[in-house]
Amino acid sequence: MSMIKNMITGSDKKKNLPPNRFLQFFYVIKENFLLLFYSSITYFVFILPLIYILLSSYLRFVSQLNTENIDSNSLLNTIIACGVLLIPCIIISSIGATGIHSVIVKLIYDEGCLYKDFFSGIKKNYKKFFPIYLFIAIFSFLLVVNYGVYFFVETLNPTFKFITLILTIILLIMCLLIKPYYILQVLLFDNSNNKVVKNSLTLAIARLIPNILMFILSIILYVTLFFFSSYLLAINIVLLILFGGAFSTLINMLNAVSVLEKSIEPSQYKTLYHKGLVDYKKEDESI
């Protein structure tokens, strides 16, 4: 019973910590499997409206596209409706994201963590997370609408439509790439919003390709929803519910922590540098 309890709530017992952030991914899962399991399920409740809107809009769009007489106006209306509904759905998902990020960051830094920290993290940090998710919601809306306008509104200048579409794609991608660094900073430091955004943008651009690859890896379970069918789709949904939130968040936050540690002076941040790794105390004592 004690083993199961520790897996659910986490344990403060001294463990053999991993030597680097890559191995810490497997370590965190091994040592906190059920805590991550329950956190993922809880997080999924908050992103369920978003997944439903995306999937239902996608299926409706494909159905309209495959009709014998394609109606451009109907396709455009479906796209715009999806874009509008994305805004409240992303805001709702940010509540669950606040909870699971609060849990994951504690686990990365080897701090005592309980399942209740998911909800206490929401209460404590939701307002800090809101700005970045609001921008993600706005840029998602603009991207979806610009996509519809580009393909189904013929009265506008094609060059203008193309530039607008590319611009919104870039803005959304950059917003998603800076998100882990933004979240990490608001959880750890007490900086102004301008400084947090500036630092996040710098860290995202400095390792642009690795950040993009890590982001793609972190959302792979979500992306495959649009490609699987029948029993494969069912299996993918189950995996997404049980592990998707923790898997995605852990990858992004470990990458953010690793990049941050490579960008700071250990002597200036000795309480955080390599915290959660085996050499943390040794590093701390040597400074």
Side-chain angles (χ1 to χ4, degrees), residues 100-119:
I100 200 165
H101 278 88
S102 300
V103 168
I104 293 296
V105 170
K106 279 195 168 188
L107 294 179
I108 289 174
Y109 285 126
D110 194 40
E111 299 175 354
C113 188
L114 306 171
Y115 174 60
K116 67 180 182 180
D117 288 320
F118 186 102
F119 302 99

Side-chain angles (χ1 to χ4, degrees), residues 67-84:
T67 56
E68 188 172 337
N69 297 316
I70 298 176
D71 186 352
S72 297
N73 288 331
S74 296
L75 289 169
L76 181 61
N77 289 337
T78 297
I79 291 173
I80 292 176
C82 175
V84 171

Side-chain angles (χ1 to χ4, degrees), residues 24-219:
Q24 192 179 27
F25 174 81
F26 306 99
Y27 170 86
V28 168
I29 294 175
K30 175 179 174 290
E31 295 293 335
N32 306 275
F33 182 79
L34 288 184
L35 175 58
L36 295 174
F37 172 79
Y38 285 113
S39 295
S40 278
I41 292 176
T42 309
Y43 173 63
F44 183 80
V45 173
F46 290 95
I47 67 170
L48 188 56
L50 177 60
I51 293 176
Y52 173 77
I53 290 301
L54 287 173
L55 278 177
S56 60
S57 298
Y58 173 76
L59 293 174
R60 183 180 179 185
F61 179 80
V62 170
S63 175
Q64 292 174 332
L65 202 59
N66 291 331
T67 56
E68 188 172 337
N69 297 316
I70 298 176
D71 186 352
S72 297
N73 288 331
S74 296
L75 289 169
L76 181 61
N77 289 337
T78 297
I79 291 173
I80 292 176
C82 175
V84 171
L85 292 172
L86 280 180
I87 296 178
C89 289
I90 291 174
I91 298 301
I92 293 171
S93 73
S94 70
I95 301 174
T98 304
I100 200 165
H101 278 88
S102 300
V103 168
I104 293 296
V105 170
K106 279 195 168 188
L107 294 179
I108 289 174
Y109 285 126
D110 194 40
E111 299 175 354
C113 188
L114 306 171
Y115 174 60
K116 67 180 182 180
D117 288 320
F118 186 102
F119 302 99
S120 60
I122 293 174
K123 182 178 180 180
K124 181 181 178 181
N125 300 312
Y126 175 68
K127 290 182 179 179
K128 298 177 182 179
F129 280 54
F130 182 77
I132 187 66
Y133 277 92
L134 178 61
F135 276 105
I136 291 174
I138 293 172
F139 291 143
S140 296
F141 163 76
L142 291 175
L143 175 58
V144 171
V145 171
N146 282 330
Y147 171 85
V149 169
Y150 180 79
F151 285 102
F152 303 113
V153 176
E154 299 179 356
T155 55
L156 291 177
N157 183 280
T159 303
F160 173 78
K161 291 191 296 182
F162 179 76
I163 293 174
T164 304
L165 180 62
I166 295 301
L167 181 60
T168 51
I169 291 174
I170 293 173
L171 287 173
L172 180 58
I173 290 175
M174 289 310 303
C175 209
L176 292 172
L177 291 179
I178 73 172
K179 184 186 73 172
Y181 300 106
Y182 182 97
I183 289 173
L184 188 62
Q185 288 182 84
V186 298
L187 288 177
L188 299 179
F189 310 120
D190 189 24
N191 295 331
S192 66
N193 279 335
N194 288 338
K195 186 173 183 180
V196 169
V197 172
K198 180 181 177 181
N199 292 341
S200 300
L201 190 59
T202 300
L203 292 171
I205 293 177
R207 290 177 56 83
L208 184 61
I209 300 302
N211 283 330
I212 291 175
L213 293 176
M214 286 297 102
F215 173 73
I216 293 173
L217 180 62
S218 72
I219 63 170

